Amino acid sequence: MRVLDLGGRTFSYLDQGAGQPLVLLHGIGSAARSFDQQVGGLSGRWRVVAWDAPGYGGSSDLAIDGPTAADYAEALLAFLTALDIRECHLLGHSLGCLTAARFCADHPDRVLSLTLCSIAGGHGALPEPERLKLLEQRIGDVTTLGAQGMAEKRAPRLLGPTAPPGALERVIDTMGSVRASGYGQAARMLSTGEITADIKRLPSRLSGQVIFGDNDLITPPARNRAIAAQWPGAEVHVVAGAGHALYLEQPDAFNELVANFLSKRSGTST
């Protein structure tokens, strides 16, 4: 794990390989280290960078308690600029999709392709009582149960029925490491996010794909398909038997989909 210091603002991240950058954005209960099998499996052909989002791992919290997707996108811009990454293939998982889509919409010249996985579309379009109830449930879990207790409660629903041995322990370990402050900020961003508004602003030239598991209980297949339908030209791929944490439970199948997609756009052979 590396640490980037931007003068009082820090980011922790993984960075391995060479070539066109592939930047990975994790979900609300995760961290950069959850992508270790993507960093190891794809860095032979691309420079794979996985950040700890603001408030996660060794990354500083954002300056405001109620950030929006735009605040995370601007943090990503500062992070990539400091690493001298002018263009990248961008991949978001779950909550990371909200940041990825907003970044692409606001800075289309910085993105070579966009992959959205197990899409968290945000709750911004929901009626306010429902939106606030969902937010209070998330904040309440981490406040009353602590990160470890929240992980033990939530993690089993993130995996499909054929998840390999050890997958549940990995999800619990990663989710159990979240900081309440960073998790709270991310939950508030989820509460106000509305990904389809950003997808509609994406440039038509941008190559995109959506990947999800057919056993995803957190962001169900129908929801992923509905969002993909708002994105003309995006490829849609379903990983059979996988749940929400598909890249962790079926890394080989996931990496193959990503590699095939990127290879067609970067001139790299699989």
Side-chain angles (χ1 to χ4, degrees), residues 223-245:
R223 194 177 306 168
N224 279 273
R225 290 189 185 280
I227 293 172
Q230 303 294 316
W231 192 4
E235 298 180 12
V236 177
H237 301 283
V238 185
V239 179
H244 189 66

Side-chain angles (χ1 to χ4, degrees), residues 136-138 140-142 144-158 168 172 175 218:
E136 289 168 1
Q137 287 174 345
R138 280 199 176 272
D141 275 353
V142 74
T144 60
L145 301 175
Q148 183 66 26
M150 179 187 68
E152 292 171 358
K153 174 185 176 180
R154 289 182 173 268
R157 298 187 69 241
L158 269 65
L168 179 59
I172 291 174
M175 189 181 295
I218 307 301

Side-chain angles (χ1 to χ4, degrees), residues 175-187:
M175 189 181 295
S177 71
V178 301
R179 302 201 308 268
S181 58
Y183 186 88
Q185 289 184 334

